[in-house]
Amino acid sequence: ILKSVILIGGPSKGTRFRPLSLDIPKPLFPVAGLPVIQHHIEACSKVDNLSEILIIGSYLASDLSQFIQEMISIYKITIRYLQEFTPLGTAGGLYHFRDQIRSGGPTYFFVMNGDVCADFSLQEIVEYHKEKQALLTIMATEATRQQSLNFGCMVLDKEGKVAHYVEKPSTFVSTLINCGIYLASLDIFQTMADAFYAGQSQENFMQFNGNSKDPAHISLEQDILMRLAGTGRLFALPVLKWWSQVKTAGSAIYANRHYLNLYKAKHLDRLASAVNGPCQIIGDIYIHPSATVHETAVLGPNVSIGPNAVIARGVRIRESIILANAHIQAHSIVLHSIVGKSSYVGEWARIEGTPCDPNPDKPFAKMENLPLFNTNGKLNPSITILGTSVRLAAEKIVLNSIVLPHKELTRNFKNEIIL
Ligand code: GTP
């Protein structure tokens, strides 16, 4: 049997996703209508003999309990949340909860970074891992030479063994990067134990120097992958299907488009029909069944409308996510934006952002997760975000701005963070 572990971090992570992560944990943010990690759970539910999913993070268990109950009832699979008392790093939690992972005697287990969005190739990884008799297999993809420096980079030999692995190298190593999806055999806990004890002895020294990490902190990338590279037991499977991550809010719009596109092949039932849809539909659109959409609205391409949202007469929305209970009043337009929960957009208003898509002219380009400000201290153009319960007055324009929750906007805004 197999198991899967999804690493979701905790409230101190996902800071680049604010203000959207202020009232919902980032792993539960809806992309193409489903919480980010529901896409992981759905992919796991399709793997042969996968008996249990463990979610490890440092969010309060109560933040996730309702979601987990829903997932259990939809996918009929055992799912449990294991809470870290403090962030233990990408492998510290795996090691801390090793008995939970080993119980029931799985042969292998997946480790999935919760912020990855992809056309997961889990079954292929299982077949590859078995064939290679690997200790750990990394799902890998290509990046551009320049962007590779932001990821874990590896060099493979002819058989697919990882000869070198460097996390976020300062000079070029390879365009083959780590996707944050792994399959491990149980012996990996021995390597983790070695890293744990090495960390413990180092910690005695570090405590003296005031290092704040927990002594049980282990990084999968730094402490395990780098240690295993060149030993002949670490393999990578290069995969060329779509892969991205949810880091900034802009990357959620990008992932939204790709998951909607995947529904065409795998879940046509989730897409609004261009023929019988509630309004004019262009391209791939998800509309929650409880949302109300006026027949004269025009949606698309690449729009997700959340539960109980109201889209009034003549509204135009493109490349955007509208969250639960938001109201978009008549004749407003929303482009490249995220409209927060329970927000209200008055009539004839305009909300517009700038897409931050990968450069289409560069093969294998990934999204640039630009910092909020550029080196001149100016806000980098990005998608527009209205936080929870924002009210935008009629006929106003919000362009390339980030609006924190509960703001009342009564004038136009351009390139601003509205605190
Ligand atoms: P950067 O954000 O650029 O550092 O990229 P990264 O992809 O390397 O991110 P990171 O290693 O921080 O996180 C990878 C995944 O692991 C994310 O889904 C995080 O939520 C999760 N994660 C990171 N740290 C921890 C941790 O201490 N505990 C748990 N359970 N999950 C973690």
Side-chain angles (χ1 to χ4, degrees):
I1 62 167
L2 276 89
K3 289 197 185 189
S4 187
V5 177
I6 306 176
L7 299 172
I8 61 166
S12 62
K13 302 282 295 179
T15 49
R16 285 175 286 175
F17 205 62
R18 288 177 188 159
L20 296 168
S21 52
L22 288 176
D23 63 350
I24 182 175
K26 185 175 95 169
L28 300 189
F29 183 83
V31 174
L34 307 185
V36 175
I37 59 168
Q38 185 169 347
H39 295 281
H40 296 63
I41 294 171
E42 189 162 286
C44 289
S45 74
K46 298 197 174 119
V47 174
D48 298 341
N49 302 319
L50 198 143
S51 64
E52 184 176 50
I53 299 174
L54 300 167
I55 299 174
I56 302 185
S58 49
Y59 291 98
L60 292 176
S62 56
D63 289 347
L64 289 140
S65 50
Q66 191 196 343
F67 166 75
I68 290 177
Q69 285 316 315
E70 276 171 32
M71 293 303 104
I72 294 172
S73 70
I74 296 175
Y75 297 104
K76 317 275 181 256
I77 189 167
T78 312
I79 305 176
R80 287 189 297 139
Y81 178 57
L82 305 172
Q83 189 185 342
E84 286 170 13
F85 50 91
T86 181
L88 295 175
T90 40
L94 297 172
Y95 186 64
H96 183 78
F97 292 113
R98 60 195 178 280
D99 290 344
Q100 306 271 1
I101 299 172
R102 284 192 291 220
S103 81
T107 333
Y108 315 115
F109 65 95
F110 282 104
V111 178
M112 307 175 83
N113 283 357
D115 56 10
V116 169
C117 292
D119 187 358
F120 297 105
S121 314
L122 302 184
Q123 195 67 46
E124 272 168 74
I125 299 174
V126 175
E127 304 310 328
Y128 183 84
H129 185 88
K130 274 193 208 161
E131 178 200 320
K132 300 290 182 183
Q133 298 186 329
L135 178 64
L136 190 100
T137 300
I138 309 174
M139 174 175 151
T141 192
E142 284 286 326
T144 63
R145 200 180 154 95
Q146 187 204 0
Q147 287 182 328
S148 67
L149 307 182
N150 303 322
F151 298 95
C153 297
M154 53 201 144
V155 179
L156 304 190
D157 72 5
K158 281 198 243 40
E159 293 163 65
K161 288 185 184 132
V162 178
H164 298 287
Y165 183 96
V166 191
E167 185 63 22
K168 302 194 175 84
S170 47
T171 54
F172 177 70
V173 171
S174 158
T175 53
L176 191 68
I177 61 161
N178 174 357
C179 290
I181 303 291
Y182 316 88
L183 186 64
S185 299
L186 291 191
D187 284 349
I188 196 70
F189 291 118
Q190 189 53 52
T191 314
M192 288 184 189
D194 296 344
F196 178 78
Y197 289 112
Q200 296 273 307
S201 48
Q202 200 183 15
E203 184 58 23
N204 293 335
F205 169 74
M206 289 297 203
Q207 258 169 7
F208 182 67
N209 284 285
N211 182 296
S212 62
K213 269 187 195 154
D214 191 274
H217 189 282
I218 311 174
S219 157
L220 185 59
E221 301 83 359
Q222 313 273 359
D223 302 322
I224 309 296
L225 302 183
M226 303 227 333
R227 191 179 281 257
L228 284 176
T231 62
R233 295 184 303 162
L234 180 66
F235 286 76
L237 174 64
V239 172
L240 289 178
K241 293 193 226 171
W242 161 63
W243 171 86
S244 70
Q245 291 167 299
V246 183
K247 296 288 183 195
T248 59
S251 53
I253 297 277
Y254 178 68
N256 186 58
R257 179 195 315 160
H258 283 274
Y259 273 133
L260 288 173
N261 185 40
L262 288 184
Y263 290 167
K264 269 205 292 248
K266 298 182 181 166
H267 270 284
L268 206 51
D269 55 310
R270 289 187 186 151
L271 293 177
S273 153
V275 185
N276 312 318
C279 66
Q280 188 180 332
I281 299 289
I282 304 169
D284 305 330
I285 309 292
Y286 169 87
I287 303 175
H288 191 274
S290 62
T292 310
V293 179
H294 195 273
E295 59 181 0
T296 57
V298 181
L299 303 183
N302 307 318
V303 173
S304 293
I305 309 279
N308 301 311
V310 177
I311 310 298
R313 165 185 294 279
V315 165
R316 178 73 180 97
I317 308 179
R318 207 163 70 194
E319 301 284 348
S320 295
I321 299 177
I322 311 296
L323 296 176
N325 301 309
H327 280 231
I328 314 287
Q329 296 301 92
H331 308 294
S332 287
I333 177 159
V334 181
L335 308 172
H336 302 282
S337 298
I338 297 179
V339 176
K341 264 192 223 163
S342 308
S343 279
Y344 176 94
V345 174
E347 291 182 5
W348 298 101
R350 181 181 185 96
I351 301 175
E352 181 170 358
T354 303
C356 18
D357 292 351
N359 183 344
D361 296 330
K362 284 198 180 160
F364 308 121
K366 304 283 172 275
M367 266 201 72
E368 295 280 358
N369 291 310
L370 293 174
L372 226 42
F373 297 99
N374 62 25
T375 42
N376 304 324
K378 291 240 168 73
L379 202 57
N380 273 322
S382 79
I383 67 156
T384 287
I385 305 166
L386 300 192
T388 301
S389 301
V390 166
R391 284 184 78 88
L392 175 63
E395 298 175 29
K396 298 299 174 232
I397 302 177
V398 180
L399 187 66
N400 291 341
S401 294
I402 297 172
V403 185
L404 266 77
H406 307 289
K407 295 289 143 196
E408 289 252 3
L409 308 182
T410 51
R411 61 171 176 92
N412 298 333
F413 289 90
K414 183 178 171 191
N415 301 332
E416 276 189 59
I417 296 186
I418 301 144
L419 294 168

